Amino acid sequence: MESPVVVITGASSGIGEATARLLAGQGARLVLGARRADRLDALAAELGGEVRTRATDVRRRDDVAALVDLAVSTFGRLDVFVANAGVAHVGGLDTQTVEDWDEMIDVNLRGVLHGVAAALPVFRAQSAGHLVAIVSTSGLRIVPDQVVYAATKNAVRTLCEGLRQEAGPHLRVTAVSPGFTATEFVDTVADPARRREYQERMAEIAMPPDAIARAVAYAMAQPAGVDVGEIVVRPTAQN
Ligand SMILES: NC(=O)c1ccc[n+]([C@@H]2O[C@H](COP(=O)([O-])OP(=O)(O)OC[C@H]3O[C@@H](n4cnc5c(N)ncnc54)[C@H](OP(=O)(O)O)[C@@H]3O)[C@@H](O)[C@H]2O)c1
């Protein structure tokens, strides 16, 4: 596909930012969303070319719809929606708060559904389109302290398989499961000791985020009739 039009949520850091960098280098036209608009604008200025940004909270349906509208009004179409924005609260079910669970459900699951609600009608009208969801290996090997996070990611995995079956011959759906990836993801762990533990482990074994960007680019690069359903990418040192 020449110069695909790609929306990426959570493009202000980590995997979303790395995906924006890689795809921009390959000639994609990008619409980037996240809450930290200053970071999106700095990235867009650095990338140059055809990049638009919009402050977006994926918990708000209207924000995500506006991101898709921006792609269509600027570039005339939407080829790929990368549902990447995500949050994790780690800790046991005894100690986590219902607010922690609500935020993970609202961002990781409801946020992706807002993307489907906005992008699917455009994909249907074009008879083409590709949803890429960034899920997690936390949903493949379930470990303590990441239970609700894993549940939200596996809900999205289920959504992807269901959408794939409903999609018909023209749409593509890909779930990418990263293992431990060096991003800002663990910087928000509330407990300082746990945060340090995760950050040290990240420095020790995590993959650079462009490992996941390449997986997204691989799924996108397949011919229209080829649908890459699942990609799992882990650091070799991860259990
Ligand atoms: N790092 C890992 O080890 C790992 C492993 C498996 C899966 N993942 C998944 O990879 C995805 C990207 O995470 P990352 O590792 O790149 O971490 P990150 O650097 O913390 O990036 C997370 C991104 O999500 C955005 N975000 C968070 N809440 C949002 C909201 N309500 N609305 C819009 N954007 C929001 C953040 O932007 P703002 O704060 O500016 O809104 C940021 O751009 C997530 O879905 C995560 O679950 C990460």
Side-chain angles (χ1 to χ4, degrees):
M1 197 188 306
E2 284 294 315
S3 307
V5 177
V6 185
V7 165
I8 305 173
T9 66
S12 58
S13 63
I15 291 168
E17 178 185 339
T19 303
R21 286 181 188 284
L22 181 69
L23 297 180
Q26 297 178 348
R29 293 170 286 171
L30 301 176
V31 176
L32 309 178
R35 291 164 303 174
R36 290 171 293 175
D38 53 331
R39 300 211 11 187
L40 295 177
D41 291 341
L43 177 61
E46 193 189 322
L47 295 177
E50 302 200 86
V51 183
R52 299 291 182 277
T53 65
R54 192 178 195 285
T56 304
D57 186 333
V58 297
R59 293 172 293 188
R60 297 199 192 123
R61 178 184 177 178
D62 291 349
D63 278 14
V64 183
L67 204 57
V68 168
D69 286 347
L70 180 60
V72 175
S73 62
T74 308
F75 300 120
R77 56 185 294 111
L78 172 66
D79 296 301
V80 186
F81 186 99
V82 182
N84 165 73
V87 292
H89 294 288
V90 296
L93 294 169
D94 289 321
T95 58
Q96 288 194 310
T97 65
V98 172
E99 287 74 23
D100 291 339
W101 299 343
D102 284 345
E103 192 189 0
M104 289 187 279
I105 293 166
D106 287 346
V107 177
N108 300 354
L109 175 56
R110 212 181 299 278
V112 178
L113 283 168
H114 291 159
V116 172
L120 193 53
V122 179
F123 291 166
R124 290 291 189 208
Q126 297 172 165
S127 293
H130 191 172
L131 177 86
V132 178
I134 306 301
V135 289
S136 177
T137 57
S138 296
L140 298 174
R141 180 174 178 271
I142 311 297
V143 296
D145 289 351
Q146 297 178 25
V147 175
V148 177
Y149 173 69
T152 62
K153 291 299 187 177
N154 279 350
V156 173
R157 199 185 307 280
T158 300
L159 172 68
C160 287
E161 173 58 13
L163 177 60
R164 183 191 73 77
Q165 292 190 31
E166 290 187 7
H170 303 303
L171 309 193
R172 305 194 292 178
V173 186
T174 304
V176 178
S177 292
F180 211 7
T181 309
T183 67
E184 299 174 15
F185 203 52
V186 299
D187 295 354
T188 51
V189 171
D191 176 52
R194 294 300 304 278
R195 183 164 64 241
R196 236 183 348 268
E197 213 176 281
Y198 274 103
Q199 285 169 334
E200 282 168 13
R201 187 74 179 137
M202 189 175 259
E204 212 178 309
I205 71 157
M207 311 172 282
D210 64 293
I212 307 307
R214 286 196 299 276
V216 174
Y218 169 81
M220 283 173 53
Q222 302 310 305
V226 177
D227 186 11
V228 178
E230 292 245 8
I231 304 180
V232 181
V233 187
R234 293 184 183 86
T236 46
Q238 182 173 326
N239 289 337

